[in-house]
């Protein structure tokens, strides 16, 4: 499959989706170095394609490179601000960086856009730092979901 994707790039290196196919396959194979390489090549071909920035942000987040994940996620928001989850995932990165106020700000931005279902926030381990501070977590839940508050 990788050979086919790379052949597509060889045949037409100006189509960003050709890079996306390779980068996704490498990511699934946990070959993060090659995955990042193809994400960056895809961005070089078309830096306005938000989906590649989103995937790159996910790669950085999965590999613990949170500052880079944040930068890529902010680019996603600039390019595709109406995307569901854009601010939520930025909030999760801010949580991982232990920047509580920014995490809360981005959760509020997501809630205002009506893209913050309780099931996402309650079951999401990406907000682990916020959840580990029980008082803070309960305050956030009371703020966004007053009818569903749980004690953690």
């Amino acid at each position: 499959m990788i050979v086919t994707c790379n052949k597509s790039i060889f045949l037409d290196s100006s189509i960003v989706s050709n890079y996306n196919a390779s980068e996704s396959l490498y990511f699934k194979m946990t070959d993060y170095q090659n995955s990042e390489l193809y994400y960056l090549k895809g961005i070089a071909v078309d830096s306005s394609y938000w989906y590649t920035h989103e995937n790159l942000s996910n790669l950085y987040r999965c590999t613990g490179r949170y500052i880079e994940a944040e930068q890529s996620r902010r680019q996603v928001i600039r390019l595709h601000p109406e995307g569901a989850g854009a601010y939520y995932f930025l909030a999760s990165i801010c949580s991982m960086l232990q920047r509580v106020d920014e995490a809360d700000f981005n959760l509020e931005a997501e809630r205002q856009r009506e893209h913050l279902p309780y099931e996402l926030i309650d079951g999401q381990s990406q907000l682990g730092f916020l959840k580990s501070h029980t008082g803070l977590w309960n305050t956030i839940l009371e703020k966004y979901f007053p009818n569903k508050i749980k004690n953690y």
Side-chain angles (χ1 to χ4, degrees):
M1 192 73 165
I2 292 289
V3 172
T4 302
C5 293
N6 288 341
K7 184 177 181 181
S8 296
I9 292 169
F10 177 76
L11 294 173
D12 191 346
S13 62
S14 67
I15 299 175
V16 72
S17 62
N18 288 345
Y19 293 95
N20 286 336
S22 289
E23 66 204 19
S24 295
L25 286 172
Y26 281 119
F27 185 82
K28 288 177 185 172
M29 296 175 0
T30 65
D31 183 347
Y32 300 129
Q33 185 174 4
N34 274 317
S35 182
E36 179 183 12
L37 175 70
Y38 280 96
Y39 286 133
L40 294 173
K41 284 181 179 184
I43 289 169
V45 168
D46 183 358
S47 64
S48 68
Y49 192 59
W50 65 269
Y51 189 70
T52 306
H53 293 279
E54 182 174 70
N55 287 337
L56 183 60
S57 176
N58 292 336
L59 173 107
Y60 288 147
R61 187 176 41 79
C62 289
T63 57
R65 295 164 62 184
Y66 302 126
I67 298 295
E68 291 161 294
E70 177 188 15
Q71 292 167 350
S72 293
R73 183 56 59 179
R74 289 189 188 282
Q75 185 65 12
V76 171
I77 292 169
R78 277 192 287 284
L79 295 170
H80 189 61
E82 69 279 0
Y87 289 93
Y88 167 77
F89 287 109
L90 183 55
S92 72
I93 293 165
C94 290
S95 174
M96 291 172 194
L97 291 167
Q98 301 182 8
R99 297 195 324 240
V100 174
D101 291 341
E102 286 180 71
D104 184 42
F105 175 83
N106 287 295
L107 285 174
E108 176 63 20
E110 193 72 22
R111 187 195 63 78
Q112 287 179 0
R113 297 168 62 242
E114 300 179 0
H115 289 297
L116 189 64
Y118 177 76
E119 294 72 25
L120 178 66
I121 194 171
D122 185 52
Q124 193 53 257
S125 63
Q126 295 175 20
L127 296 171
F129 179 77
L130 295 177
K131 283 185 169 185
S132 70
H133 292 76
T134 306
L136 174 64
W137 185 246
N138 285 337
T139 300
I140 288 171
L141 289 180
E142 286 172 6
K143 180 178 178 181
Y144 299 123
F145 307 100
N147 298 328
K148 295 189 176 192
I149 183 68
K150 289 182 179 181
N151 291 320
Y152 283 86

